[in-house]
Amino acid sequence: MEYDYLIVGSGLFGSVFAREMTDKGKKCLVIERRDHIGGNVYTKEDHGINVHMYGAHIFHTDNKEVWEYVNKYADFNRFTNSPIANYKGELYNLPFNMNTFHEMWGIKTPQEAVEIIESQKAEANITEPKNLEEQAISLVGKDIYEKLVKGYTEKQWGRKCSELPAFIIKRLPVRLIYDNNYFNDLYQGIPIGGYTQIIEKLLDGIDVKINCDFFDDKEKWMNVADKVIFTGMIDQFYDYCYGELEYRGLKFETELKDTDNYQGNAVVNYTDAETPFTRIIEHKHFESAESDVTIITHEYPQTWKRGMEAYYPVNNEANNNLFAKYQKLADKEDKVIFGGRLGLYKYYNMDKIIEEALALVDAESN
């Protein structure tokens, strides 16, 4: 074999694995279907602004090892994600905290907030939530659910909250302090100069082919290396033999605006059902870029169909049961290892993807 490992996909999982195994003396080839490396963390500089081409990516983790790992490849700023929710022109701070409650009810103390939420929960009288709607109301009450959860969630998943399983929202954080920091993680930030530089450094000195679709000649690619690390859709790898897993697609509409500040925040969520997009991202605010213009992106969730980019696995019971069938096939493989969000059919944040890749490196090295 020409290579020890063929890595299908140049996102974080594949790139971290390729770097680490190369450093251990293994010969790796990375192939990428798109015309650029980086997967969904790909950023592109435009007018001095690093544009997150596949949606906002904010790095956050409590894992010191992972934080130190990514900081080897880029310097990170201390960006704090503090999104704004726009409900029919009403603006609220996220996550749900005392600022949110003051904006919604005009109250000032934690005790007042608790009393309102508890009274709404009691009025709903939900003992065993049967769906996402009941779960959300039983956690945060009707007002917050109606204005800040319902419309956004239904757009995101393409179905009514009453038809979504309760476990999708296991908990909704309610903070009884005035704190708009969306994440609880100790380490948070954006790489200064964008994410693409990280992938470029990870893949430095490694054979990489872009515009190269594994499925155009699967037999050929299966025979160029001793092992294959596959980060694409596991059901596609097996030719959908048990049927299609469900994914959510996204459409991005990015535009240049002749103003230096369009919305005053990196992320504004549109939580009403009538607005077709879920959020507007203003990229310059991730790194406080100095520019006379700004670049914004409208993000539209879509029903996924073959040929579209798959972004989110839909981990309801039916899809998880179907994935279990594919997992049994994967468990029998001695040459192919599945990884990443699509290969493992699981929603992973970036830090968890890196953890998984490093764990696989350890497993392959022992």
Side-chain angles (χ1 to χ4, degrees):
M1 292 290 179
E2 191 176 350
Y3 294 93
D4 296 299
Y5 291 95
L6 170 71
I7 295 103
V8 181
S10 65
L12 269 175
F13 187 95
S15 298
V16 168
F17 182 85
R19 173 78 274 143
E20 293 302 304
M21 296 310 293
T22 298
D23 288 349
K24 292 178 181 296
K26 301 297 184 180
K27 192 171 184 187
C28 298
L29 169 64
V30 178
I31 62 172
E32 170 59 55
R33 177 174 49 82
R34 295 171 177 170
D35 64 359
H36 59 77
I37 58 173
N40 290 349
V41 303
Y42 175 65
T43 52
K44 184 178 180 181
E45 191 272 331
D46 188 359
H47 287 78
I49 301 165
N50 291 305
V51 180
H52 295 217
M53 299 300 291
Y54 300 95
H57 283 78
I58 299 149
F59 202 93
H60 56 98
T61 186
D62 274 328
N63 187 322
K64 185 177 181 182
E65 179 188 358
V66 168
W67 181 245
E68 291 175 345
Y69 186 87
V70 293
N71 274 267
K72 292 192 299 184
Y73 298 99
D75 293 324
F76 280 69
N77 66 15
R78 184 54 176 87
F79 177 83
T80 299
N81 189 28
S82 303
I84 299 293
N86 183 321
Y87 176 79
K88 299 182 178 181
E90 300 173 12
L91 301 182
Y92 298 94
N93 289 103
L94 296 175
F96 311 137
N97 70 84
M98 285 303 299
N99 289 310
T100 321
F101 309 141
H102 174 70
E103 291 147 4
M104 188 163 290
W105 300 311
I107 55 94
K108 297 181 176 64
T109 68
Q111 186 57 38
E112 289 174 296
V114 169
E115 288 173 0
I116 292 173
I117 292 171
E118 289 302 320
S119 69
Q120 292 186 4
K121 288 163 63 173
E123 185 179 338
N125 193 28
I126 299 167
T127 53
E128 291 187 18
K130 299 180 181 65
N131 53 54
L132 187 149
E133 177 171 280
E134 293 184 357
Q135 176 78 2
I137 293 173
S138 70
L139 290 170
V140 295
K142 191 170 183 179
D143 287 352
I144 294 173
Y145 167 72
E146 291 286 348
K147 289 191 173 184
L148 302 181
V149 177
K150 185 176 189 292
Y152 188 92
T153 303
E154 291 183 349
K155 288 187 289 189
Q156 187 75 14
W157 294 105
R159 59 191 70 177
K160 293 184 181 301
C161 287
S162 58
E163 298 170 358
L164 288 165
F167 68 77
I168 289 181
I169 296 183
K170 293 178 181 175
R171 64 181 182 85
L172 284 171
V174 174
R175 293 186 187 157
L176 297 172
I177 54 175
Y178 290 89
D179 180 6
N180 300 324
N181 183 353
Y182 196 80
F183 301 117
N184 291 317
D185 300 280
L186 178 61
Y187 308 106
Q188 304 180 38
I190 302 281
I192 299 167
Y195 284 94
T196 302
Q197 60 175 323
I198 296 176
I199 304 297
E200 288 173 344
K201 292 172 185 174
L202 286 168
L203 296 179
D204 183 42
I206 298 171
D207 290 347
V208 178
K209 296 181 185 291
I210 59 172
N211 295 308
C212 186
D213 192 330
F214 174 82
F215 293 103
D216 285 346
D217 197 342
K218 182 178 178 181
E219 185 177 353
K220 167 192 167 183
W221 295 117
M222 286 293 293
N223 288 291
V224 300
D226 292 325
K227 285 192 175 181
V228 175
I229 308 299
F230 185 81
T231 69
M233 299 185 298
I234 188 170
D235 52 340
Q236 184 183 17
F237 182 89
Y238 289 113
D239 200 25
Y240 308 102
C241 64
Y242 294 129
E244 289 182 2
L245 289 165
E246 192 176 359
Y247 304 90
R248 287 298 282 167
L250 290 172
K251 181 178 74 171
F252 302 103
E253 291 184 352
T254 299
E255 55 186 303
L256 181 71
K257 291 287 187 182
D258 190 19
T259 177
D260 64 347
N261 192 353
Y262 178 78
Q263 64 184 16
N265 205 51
V267 180
V268 177
N269 292 350
Y270 286 76
T271 60
D272 62 281
E274 292 75 21
T275 303
F277 48 85
T278 48
R279 58 184 180 175
I280 298 178
I281 298 161
E282 187 167 6
H283 301 270
K284 72 186 309 179
H285 296 308
F286 289 127
E287 298 180 57
S288 302
E290 294 184 7
S291 176
D292 293 335
V293 296
T294 193
I295 296 173
I296 65 167
T297 298
H298 292 75
E299 193 169 303
Y300 298 81
Q302 291 184 315
T303 300
W304 178 86
K305 296 176 182 176
R306 287 195 204 185
M308 295 172 58
E309 294 289 350
Y311 288 93
Y312 302 109
V314 181
N315 289 117
N316 59 20
E317 186 176 3
N319 281 300
N320 288 340
N321 288 339
L322 180 56
F323 170 69
K325 292 183 177 182
Y326 285 114
Q327 184 65 58
K328 286 183 178 178
L329 294 180
D331 290 341
K332 296 174 184 175
E333 299 281 355
D334 56 6
K335 179 166 183 165
V336 183
I337 300 170
F338 295 87
R341 185 183 287 188
L342 302 181
L344 298 173
Y345 199 69
K346 186 176 181 181
Y347 183 90
Y348 284 104
N349 287 323
M350 289 180 283
D351 63 325
K352 297 300 181 185
I353 283 287
I354 293 171
E355 285 181 19
E356 289 288 324
L358 294 175
L360 179 59
V361 169
D362 286 344
E364 286 295 291
S365 301
N366 292 331

